[in-house]
Amino acid sequence: MNATLIGIIIGIVLIFLFSLIKKDSKFAYLGIKLSRIYCPKCNEKQPIVRKPNNQRQALYGGHTCRKCGTEMDKYGEEIAK
Ligand SMILES: [Zn+2]
Protein backbone atom coordinates (compact mmCIF):
# COMPACT_ATOMS: atom_id res chain seq x y z
CA MET A 1 0.00 0.00 0.00
CA ASN A 2 1.39 3.36 -0.93
CA ALA A 3 0.18 6.84 -0.04
CA THR A 4 -1.59 7.41 -3.37
CA LEU A 5 -3.67 4.29 -2.99
CA ILE A 6 -4.62 5.20 0.56
CA GLY A 7 -5.64 8.66 -0.66
CA ILE A 8 -7.86 7.19 -3.37
CA ILE A 9 -9.53 4.84 -0.89
CA ILE A 10 -10.18 7.66 1.57
CA GLY A 11 -11.65 9.74 -1.27
CA ILE A 12 -14.03 6.96 -2.32
CA VAL A 13 -15.14 6.40 1.29
CA LEU A 14 -15.77 10.14 1.75
CA ILE A 15 -17.83 10.37 -1.45
CA PHE A 16 -19.85 7.37 -0.28
CA LEU A 17 -20.45 8.93 3.15
CA PHE A 18 -21.41 12.32 1.70
CA SER A 19 -23.84 10.65 -0.68
CA LEU A 20 -25.68 9.25 2.37
CA ILE A 21 -26.43 12.73 3.74
CA LYS A 22 -30.16 13.34 3.69
CA LYS A 23 -31.43 16.54 2.16
CA ASP A 24 -33.14 17.65 5.37
CA SER A 25 -29.97 17.18 7.36
CA LYS A 26 -28.12 20.24 8.58
CA PHE A 27 -25.17 19.01 6.54
CA ALA A 28 -27.23 18.84 3.37
CA TYR A 29 -25.05 21.42 1.64
CA LEU A 30 -22.17 18.95 1.90
CA GLY A 31 -24.20 16.13 0.44
CA ILE A 32 -23.58 14.60 -2.94
CA LYS A 33 -26.50 13.55 -5.06
CA LEU A 34 -25.44 10.70 -7.30
CA SER A 35 -28.68 10.03 -9.12
CA ARG A 36 -30.25 12.09 -11.88
CA ILE A 37 -32.61 14.85 -10.95
CA TYR A 38 -35.55 16.27 -12.80
CA CYS A 39 -36.81 19.81 -13.13
CA PRO A 40 -39.55 20.41 -10.51
CA LYS A 41 -41.56 22.45 -13.04
CA CYS A 42 -41.28 20.77 -16.43
CA ASN A 43 -39.76 17.42 -15.48
CA GLU A 44 -36.80 17.88 -17.81
CA LYS A 45 -33.96 15.52 -16.94
CA GLN A 46 -30.93 17.51 -15.82
CA PRO A 47 -27.49 16.66 -17.20
CA ILE A 48 -24.97 14.88 -14.94
CA VAL A 49 -22.19 17.16 -16.08
CA ARG A 50 -23.32 20.61 -15.13
CA LYS A 51 -21.97 24.01 -15.94
CA PRO A 52 -22.36 26.25 -12.89
CA ASN A 53 -24.24 29.45 -13.71
CA ASN A 54 -23.38 31.25 -10.50
CA GLN A 55 -21.23 31.01 -7.39
CA ARG A 56 -23.79 29.07 -5.40
CA GLN A 57 -24.05 26.40 -8.06
CA ALA A 58 -20.28 26.23 -8.35
CA LEU A 59 -19.90 25.75 -4.59
CA TYR A 60 -22.88 23.63 -3.62
CA GLY A 61 -24.19 22.17 -6.84
CA GLY A 62 -27.52 22.70 -8.47
CA HIS A 63 -28.90 23.20 -11.92
CA THR A 64 -30.64 25.71 -14.06
CA CYS A 65 -33.18 23.97 -16.24
CA ARG A 66 -32.22 24.45 -19.87
CA LYS A 67 -35.85 24.13 -20.90
CA CYS A 68 -37.71 26.48 -18.57
CA GLY A 69 -34.89 28.23 -16.68
CA THR A 70 -35.99 27.10 -13.21
CA GLU A 71 -33.16 27.08 -10.71
CA MET A 72 -32.99 24.04 -8.48
CA ASP A 73 -30.61 22.69 -5.90
CA LYS A 74 -28.72 19.45 -6.27
CA TYR A 75 -31.70 17.55 -4.84
CA GLY A 76 -33.98 18.84 -7.58
CA GLU A 77 -35.90 21.27 -5.41
CA GLU A 78 -36.81 24.63 -6.82
CA ILE A 79 -34.93 27.61 -5.43
CA ALA A 80 -37.01 30.75 -5.08
CA LYS A 81 -35.29 33.76 -6.59
ZN1 LIG B 1 -37.65 22.95 -16.39
Side-chain angles (χ1 to χ4, degrees):
M1 283 262 259
N2 59 41
T4 309
L5 188 60
I6 293 170
I8 291 171
I9 291 171
I10 290 174
I12 290 171
V13 169
L14 282 179
I15 288 172
F16 177 72
L17 289 177
F18 282 139
S19 72
L20 296 177
I21 296 173
K22 296 285 177 282
K23 66 180 174 186
D24 49 1
S25 141
K26 62 179 174 176
F27 300 112
Y29 66 94
L30 291 172
I32 297 170
K33 185 79 159 52
L34 295 175
S35 54
R36 305 296 295 269
I37 63 168
Y38 293 84
C39 176
K41 279 217 169 124
C42 69
N43 234 20
E44 174 82 353
K45 196 188 233 181
Q46 302 301 312
I48 289 176
V49 180
R50 66 193 172 80
K51 204 165 115 261
N53 287 336
N54 53 44
Q55 200 182 29
R56 182 187 49 72
Q57 287 187 3
L59 284 174
Y60 302 122
H63 296 272
T64 304
C65 180
R66 64 198 154 154
K67 209 165 156 192
C68 67
T70 300
E71 269 202 66
M72 69 207 84
D73 65 15
K74 64 193 162 200
Y75 299 106
E77 293 194 2
E78 187 179 352
I79 294 168
K81 284 188 182 157

